[in-house]
Amino acid sequence: MTTHFRSVPSGAQLTLLGGLLLAAVTVGTWLAWLSWNTGYRTDPETGAISGPYAVWQVAGCVLTLAVVAAAGGWWLSPWLVAPVMAVAFTVPWAVHAASSDDTGLWGVGAMLVLVGTATGGGVVSLVTRLLRLRLSSPRS
């Protein structure tokens, strides 16, 4: 009996592995930036309520997601990057929001997060893919 061992992964296997890695890094981004802060703050002077995230947390999260989308767009199709990132970021966000929301508005927030992440990830990955194609095309 002969066993054939394929040492080089196929294109489909690389795409699957890339998508899984992209999803893991996207979930890790949510964990690192947003999962740990759940409290709202009230300004004692104005009475304004803010939270649960600080501006620097959201900015750091968005910048990290942009880097992840750019890396994804460099190696993977933007048609894969946008939905994988959107779902991988929205699911933990929605589970966390649903567990602490009494109003039921977490569903609206989840839809906004889904659309925003898909749009942002799609645009960044597409621009990166186009840049890669332009840099790799032969010049006449």
Side-chain angles (χ1 to χ4, degrees), residues 51-131:
Y53 312 117
V55 172
W56 64 268
Q57 281 178 285
V58 175
C61 184
V62 168
L63 288 173
T64 304
L65 288 172
V67 169
V68 171
W74 191 265
W75 287 293
L76 301 167
S77 166
W79 292 105
L80 177 68
V81 173
V84 166
M85 286 187 70
V87 171
F89 191 82
T90 302
V91 168
W93 185 95
V95 168
H96 188 267
S99 70
S100 61
D101 180 28
D102 303 344
T103 66
L105 290 175
W106 69 269
V108 175
M111 289 306 298
L112 293 172
V113 168
L114 182 72
V115 170
T117 308
T119 303
V123 167
V124 170
S125 63
L126 179 61
V127 168
T128 305
R129 172 52 57 117
L130 293 174
L131 177 64

Side-chain angles (χ1 to χ4, degrees), residues 19-71:
L20 290 172
L21 180 62
L22 179 65
V25 172
T26 302
V27 170
T29 299
W30 179 82
L31 285 168
W33 287 106
L34 303 180
S35 68
W36 49 271
N37 198 357
T38 58
Y40 286 86
R41 294 163 297 286
T42 304
D43 186 326
E45 292 181 19
T46 64
I49 299 173
S50 63
Y53 312 117
V55 172
W56 64 268
Q57 281 178 285
V58 175
C61 184
V62 168
L63 288 173
T64 304
L65 288 172
V67 169
V68 171

